[in-house]
């Protein structure tokens, strides 16, 4: 056990968040680490097969020292999809230039200095006020799906909104979720997906098309990543399937105040959430409160506060990096389908 703890302590503490353009479309994943990754640290991150799958869909930018990276690590990766970022001062010296040339020849992408000026990494945006009637319908839908209402009642509410019904069927017919199946109506979707899976797609769609709007909400990347990460952390801590589902919903609900522009307590009051969910969302207490706080802290980048939060929930750095990569893979897939 001590050997494992010592090995874990040597691993880099990382954070992973979406980089978006001015229209809030994902353009890359930004991996943050302090200090920049050396060869051993980058090799550890690349051990996760999920990262290779992510690179097939979106580039990943990582801070690295070009003199400390073996070009052979690029073997088998999508060419120039893993982008090594380094300070501009590291260019110009002959040894650095030779190292950079070797890395590019091997297939790495290279980036010097800051991210492009029109890229965004913080997803906090002005709330979408929207249409009060549409907001009421969406909150009622949330109440129904979180309280195991009759399928016919949920279906009737969704059918009132043709755009929402279309988006739901488009999502469940995605090859990412239902390979080899074609869903033609909501009733069929409920049977094939099950109530718990359908619940999360419906909640995701609240962010995909906010009240009174037609375009995806800029909070969607953060909501998808936060919810998936909270669910993955719950799994790694040995929680039950039911608890993992609840963790996912807590991650989503934790951003409803930003989505609706209201205090969170007012939004969740009519939803009659479980005591555990309400405690986590409003006071940071209960079995899910520390998990949610750790995930929120991780969104601010690698830090001593994140290290303390992870220690508080008994999650090592290796499991944390695994959770981040798995969650990001799912969130990227969702972002492409919605």
């Amino acid at each position: 056990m001590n050997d494992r703890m010592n090995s874990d302590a040597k691993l880099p503490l990382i954070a992973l968040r979406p980089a978006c353009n001015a229209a809030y479309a994902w353009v890359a994943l930004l991996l943050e680490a302090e200090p920049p990754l050396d060869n051993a640290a980058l090799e550890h991150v690349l051990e996760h097969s999920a990262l290779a799958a992510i690179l097939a869909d979106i580039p990943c930018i990582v801070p690295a020292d070009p003199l400390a990276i073996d070009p052979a690590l690029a073997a088998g990766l999508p060419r120039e999809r893993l982008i090594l970022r380094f300070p501009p001062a590291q260019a110009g010296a002959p040894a650095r230039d030779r190292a950079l040339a070797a890395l590019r020849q091997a297939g790495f992408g290279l980036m010097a200095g800051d991210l492009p000026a029109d890229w965004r990494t913080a997803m906090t945006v002005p709330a979408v006020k929207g249409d009060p009637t549409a907001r009421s319908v969406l909150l009622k839908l949330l109440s129904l799906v979180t309280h195991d209402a009759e399928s016919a009642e949920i279906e009737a509410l969704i059918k009132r909104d043709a755009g929402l019904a279309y988006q739901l069927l488009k999502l469940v017919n995605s090859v990412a979720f239902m390979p080899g199946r074609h869903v033609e109506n909501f009733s069929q979707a409920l049977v094939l997906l099950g109530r718990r899976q359908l619940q999360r797609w419906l909640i995701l769609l609240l962010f995909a098309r906010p009240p009174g709007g037609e375009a995806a909400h800029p909070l969607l990347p953060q909501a998808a990543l936060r919810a998936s990460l909270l669910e993955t952390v719950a799994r790694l801590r040995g929680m039950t399937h039911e608890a993992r589902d609840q963790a996912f919903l807590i991650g989503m609900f934790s951003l409803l105040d930003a989505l609706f522009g209201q205090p969170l307590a007012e939004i969740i009051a009519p939803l009659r959430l479980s005591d555990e969910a309400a405690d986590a969302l409003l006071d940071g207490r209960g079995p899910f409160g520390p998990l949610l706080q750790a995930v929120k802290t991780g969104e601010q980048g690698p830090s001593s506060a994140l290290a303390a939060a992870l220690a508080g929930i008994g999650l090592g750095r290796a499991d944390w990096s695994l959770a981040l990569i798995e969650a990001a893979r799912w969130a990227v897939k969702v972002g492409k389908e919605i």
Side-chain angles (χ1 to χ4, degrees):
M1 178 64 72
N2 287 336
D3 289 343
R4 180 180 177 183
M5 291 177 62
N6 290 336
S7 176
D8 193 82
K10 294 178 181 178
L11 296 175
L13 182 61
I14 68 171
L16 193 63
R17 52 181 168 166
C20 303
N21 60 20
Y24 291 99
W26 288 42
V27 291
L29 281 174
L30 180 64
L31 188 151
E32 297 172 296
E34 185 60 42
L37 301 185
D38 59 15
N39 200 70
L42 181 58
E43 187 174 19
H44 167 73
V45 171
L46 290 174
E47 285 177 354
H48 303 309
S49 60
L51 182 58
I54 291 174
L55 294 175
D57 290 323
I58 193 170
C60 183
I61 301 170
V62 303
D65 179 354
L67 284 180
I69 301 298
D70 182 355
L73 290 181
L77 297 176
R79 188 166 183 83
E80 297 190 347
R81 302 292 278 183
L82 186 63
I83 302 171
L84 305 182
R85 183 183 176 196
F86 57 92
Q90 292 187 346
R96 297 282 181 181
D97 288 346
R98 286 194 297 270
L100 293 172
L103 291 169
R104 180 172 291 284
Q105 179 67 27
F108 283 113
L110 301 175
M111 176 181 289
D114 296 332
L115 298 175
D118 61 341
W119 284 18
R120 305 169 186 262
T121 57
M123 294 296 102
T124 301
V125 296
V128 176
K129 299 301 183 182
D131 175 12
T133 302
R135 178 182 299 168
S136 176
V137 171
L138 288 173
L139 289 176
K140 183 176 181 180
L141 179 59
L142 267 176
S143 182
L144 291 177
V145 298
T146 54
H147 285 88
D148 232 12
E150 293 293 330
S151 299
E153 188 176 3
I154 299 175
E155 184 176 2
L157 185 58
I158 291 179
K159 285 180 177 178
R160 296 181 191 175
D161 189 324
L164 182 60
Y166 167 79
Q167 285 186 305
L168 175 62
L169 291 179
K170 178 178 179 289
L171 184 60
V172 299
N173 275 311
S174 163
V175 294
F177 305 121
M178 298 293 294
R181 297 289 190 99
H182 181 71
V183 180
E184 297 181 351
N185 54 61
F186 179 79
S187 298
Q188 189 180 13
L190 183 57
V191 171
L192 291 176
L193 287 176
R195 181 59 61 92
R196 288 180 179 176
Q197 289 296 315
L198 184 60
Q199 183 181 55
R200 67 177 56 196
W201 307 141
L202 290 173
I203 295 174
L204 272 168
L205 288 177
L206 296 180
F207 290 91
R209 189 171 60 83
E214 295 299 328
H217 196 282
L219 282 173
L220 177 61
Q222 184 177 353
L225 187 56
R226 181 184 289 187
S228 183
L229 181 54
L230 199 61
E231 178 186 33
T232 306
V233 168
R235 176 177 62 80
L236 292 174
R237 295 187 72 247
M239 291 187 170
T240 65
H241 283 287
E242 183 177 355
R244 296 174 207 170
D245 286 333
Q246 193 163 4
F248 181 93
L249 298 181
I250 289 170
M252 277 286 170
F253 288 142
S254 68
L255 285 164
L256 287 182
D257 53 346
L259 179 67
F260 290 110
Q262 296 176 242
L264 191 57
E266 294 180 9
I267 298 172
I268 67 173
L271 302 180
R272 303 192 307 278
L273 300 180
S274 68
D275 290 341
E276 292 86 355
D279 286 345
L281 290 166
L282 300 180
D283 303 310
R285 297 185 293 108
F288 299 103
L291 274 64
L292 178 59
Q293 185 56 47
V295 168
K296 287 182 176 181
T297 303
E299 292 172 355
Q300 306 306 311
S303 64
S304 58
L306 175 58
L310 295 178
I313 62 175
L315 198 69
R317 295 186 177 198
D319 282 343
W320 171 249
S321 63
L322 174 63
L324 278 171
I325 293 170
E326 288 188 0
R329 179 185 182 184
W330 185 86
V332 167
K333 288 290 186 184
V334 167
K336 290 185 66 176
E337 298 300 335
I338 291 182

